Amino acid sequence: MEAAKTEIQVKYIALSGGVGGAKLALGLEKIIQSEDLMVIGNVGDDFQHFGLHISPDLDTLLYTLSGKSNPEQGWGLANETWEFMSAMRELGGDSWFQLGDRDLATHVERTRRLQIGQSLSEITIYFRQNFGIGAAIVPATDDYLRTIVETDMGVLSFQEYFVRERCIPSIQNLYFQGSESAQITTELTKALESKELETIIFCPSNPLLSIDPILSVQGLKKAFVDSGAKIVAVTPIVGGTAIKGPAAKNLRELGYTVSASTVAKHYQGLIHGFVLDQKDHKEAKKIEKLGISVLVADTIMNDLETKVKLAEKTLRYANSI
Amino acid sequence: MEAAKTEIQVKYIALSGGVGGAKLALGLEKIIQSEDLMVIGNVGDDFQHFGLHISPDLDTLLYTLSGKSNPEQGWGLANETWEFMSAMRELGGDSWFQLGDRDLATHVERTRRLQIGQSLSEITIYFRQNFGIGAAIVPATDDYLRTIVETDMGVLSFQEYFVRERCIPSIQNLYFQGSESAQITTELTKALESKELETIIFCPSNPLLSIDPILSVQGLKKAFVDSGAKIVAVTPIVGGTAIKGPAAKNLRELGYTVSASTVAKHYQGLIHGFVLDQKDHKEAKKIEKLGISVLVADTIMNDLETKVKLAEKTLRYANSI
């Protein structure tokens, strides 16, 4: 097990869900030396489909940081083909979750390695090295952890809610199955004990569905605090709506006001700083009253340049707190 | 389980390996009413690859009888693409066994169904119905049965020998792992008890590597004899060589003379008739001395017409014995 052998001395840890968070993770990867960066991917979205183990957020990170991702949709691979899905539909298989022919190799190989007893961490190390990614990409836990959504259409797994039902059901409650016993992976534990660790960044991912499952792993929040690192969150809410995905809808359904300050308050006690979009500059005072420092910045990332700029600003800001 | 519910009244049972045998199976399928035909596929070639359960001979039968097969190579699907393999190679996966993108749906779906407890028989019923095949296609057994080849390059599984090593190693011995406890499937048992059953045909498949694994299933030979059906084998050896595959090389390595009469002798005590190619008409007497009736015919099947013709001749001949 590589993770067990190697001393891990990272300076920066980023937490990310899928597409939105991976944008900032890519910006960070461009400006941080590979060995100094570790990205934690959410595994609450993992699921079994066609008998295969699928890790959508880890894959989005792997594909994004390796430059393999489809730039239009943000998930999946560029130049993908869909013959497998076509044949699977003819075979009567579900077609609500699209697996491209090339993408499928990732799922088949991950499933095979899990079957022979490798951990998700070990497999992710193999994949990122094979994809030529220098930065570490890790699951927060190798244990079972699944985001479960209680909705007006019944209890759904994350992908059933997110992909199959297109986030249409109204969320009444959500929880992270397995979190009460899920342990932090060795790699992440070592990174959090690293004397070099300076900053932990919450990427602009859905706080409820992407960051919270990571934070639900046993002892992780405490390890974050104990690490002494500066903890900074980048807002996923701009102008009262989510840049991407159902975060605004989720917050509303669960009784929150949809605003950047709601997200900041959600992380209160854990984060030292919050990167607020310039559109929401009026919320700065409100957030500062929570004991959280604020940076107002342009947080919209449309291209590589804006990703890198936001990454630079975020790190400089964290350093200044 | 459909197999358990339905009364099975077949008139003809054919035994087949892969490409060569499937040619005659297709000819038989064209002239026999669907409900009257059952084809037994060899499962000694089955193996695990990329964590998937692959049944090459059953798939060749499914693809051939549904008209989905690649007409040039005889195995796999027509109009196949290879993006999965390309991505798998980049991931460092083995590339010696080619799985097409559409073909992969069959393996993924079969593996998923096995994992949830379905039998290979049940899955094969699902596939053939989904593919629109009326005739039954069945494994001889749902139990573990694997052809193992002892060679000058070590002990190999069938696919390692056949595909990865391209039949180059010299065979010293072969056996069928699991045959001592492999039981006949329900569907096949019922077919063998059918009062309608008239004829059992050994398609022109490799006697050692394709037909023998089928015959190694516990009690199958006895059930064949007890059924009272006429049993006829079609020669896979013409003019001292195999039409397809390594049968000639296998026979030679195991100390046999490579000839049609060697194959007839191999089946002695089990078959009543043998379809000999016209090229080998001089061997007829030798085979008749074994107590086996002989039909001399053109056994080369290059197109659908010749497949149908050989099927017609074989059935008419069996009926005449």
Side-chain angles (χ1 to χ4, degrees), chain A residues 171-211:
Chain A
I171 295 187
Q172 292 155 349
N173 186 31
L174 64 89
Y175 57 95
F176 310 113
Q177 203 169 56
S179 66
E180 63 290 349
S181 55
Q183 301 296 313
I184 309 174
T185 58
T186 311
E187 258 184 308
L188 179 53
T189 300
K190 292 196 173 197
L192 287 168
E193 289 167 353
S194 162
K195 284 178 195 117
E196 306 290 324
L197 184 63
E198 291 175 11
T199 309
I200 297 171
I201 303 116
F202 294 7
C203 290
S205 294
N206 189 318
L208 305 175
L209 293 174
S210 297
I211 302 296

Side-chain angles (χ1 to χ4, degrees), chain B residues 7-37:
Chain B
E7 196 65 12
I8 294 175
Q9 291 290 349
V10 308
K11 286 189 186 171
Y12 306 98
I13 293 176
L15 282 64
S16 175
V19 180
K23 287 185 179 185
L24 184 59
L26 179 62
L28 292 165
E29 195 266 345
K30 293 292 177 197
I31 60 168
I32 296 173
Q33 283 207 322
S34 289
E35 60 271 29
D36 291 340
L37 176 62

Side-chain angles (χ1 to χ4, degrees), chain A residues 7 21 116 157 187 200 312:
Chain A
E7 196 65 12
I116 60 172
S157 71
E187 258 184 308
I200 297 171
E312 281 171 344

Side-chain angles (χ1 to χ4, degrees), chain B residues 26-240:
Chain B
L26 179 62
L28 292 165
E29 195 266 345
K30 293 292 177 197
I31 60 168
I32 296 173
Q33 283 207 322
S34 289
E35 60 271 29
D36 291 340
L37 176 62
M38 176 177 282
V39 185
I40 308 174
N42 168 36
V43 295
D45 299 9
D46 284 23
F47 74 127
Q48 294 280 323
H49 197 54
F50 301 137
L52 302 170
H53 180 104
I54 310 206
S55 298
D57 284 357
L58 288 175
D59 288 347
T60 293
L61 286 167
L62 287 164
Y63 295 163
T64 301
L65 297 197
S66 63
K68 288 175 183 278
S69 64
N70 179 320
E72 277 86 49
Q73 63 194 21
W75 57 269
L77 290 163
N79 304 316
E80 187 59 281
T81 57
W82 305 93
E83 293 299 317
F84 167 80
M85 282 308 299
S86 162
M88 190 54 102
R89 269 194 301 278
E90 288 176 18
L91 266 182
D94 285 333
S95 61
W96 57 268
F97 196 89
Q98 295 287 312
L99 297 179
D101 298 326
R102 298 187 64 84
D103 182 35
L104 198 60
T106 307
H107 312 309
V108 167
E109 182 63 5
R110 176 182 283 124
T111 304
R112 184 189 73 79
R113 287 174 178 260
L114 285 169
Q115 278 168 358
I116 61 171
Q118 293 186 16
S119 70
L120 195 55
S121 289
E122 291 174 289
I123 297 165
T124 310
I125 289 172
Y126 177 79
F127 280 164
R128 74 165 174 83
Q129 288 178 340
N130 180 278
F131 289 3
I133 302 169
I137 298 174
V138 302
T141 184
D142 283 327
D143 301 323
Y144 178 89
L145 179 74
R146 295 290 177 273
T147 300
I148 306 291
V149 190
E150 295 178 354
T151 76
D152 57 352
M153 287 174 63
V155 178
L156 303 174
S157 71
F158 179 81
Q159 297 299 340
E160 288 171 340
Y161 165 74
F162 189 71
V163 179
R164 195 186 71 193
E165 304 301 337
R166 299 172 204 185
C167 309
I168 291 167
S170 179
I171 294 186
Q172 292 155 349
N173 186 31
L174 64 89
Y175 58 94
F176 311 113
Q177 203 169 56
S179 65
E180 63 289 350
S181 56
Q183 301 296 313
I184 308 174
T185 58
T186 311
E187 258 184 306
L188 180 52
T189 300
K190 292 196 173 196
L192 287 168
E193 288 167 353
S194 161
K195 283 176 195 121
E196 306 291 322
L197 184 64
E198 292 177 11
T199 309
I200 297 171
I201 304 117
F202 294 6
C203 290
S205 293
N206 189 317
L208 305 175
L209 293 175
S210 298
I211 303 297
D212 277 2
I214 296 175
L215 298 176
S216 77
V217 172
Q218 283 307 300
L220 190 63
K221 281 186 196 177
K222 185 174 183 303
F224 276 8
V225 172
D226 291 351
S227 76
K230 293 282 166 58
I231 307 181
V232 172
V234 177
T235 186
I237 300 286
V238 173

Side-chain angles (χ1 to χ4, degrees), chain B residues 259-277:
Chain B
S259 69
S261 51
T262 295
V263 178
K265 191 168 193 303
H266 186 73
Y267 295 139
Q268 192 180 14
L270 195 56
I271 62 171
H272 305 102
F274 191 83
V275 180
L276 185 68
D277 192 80

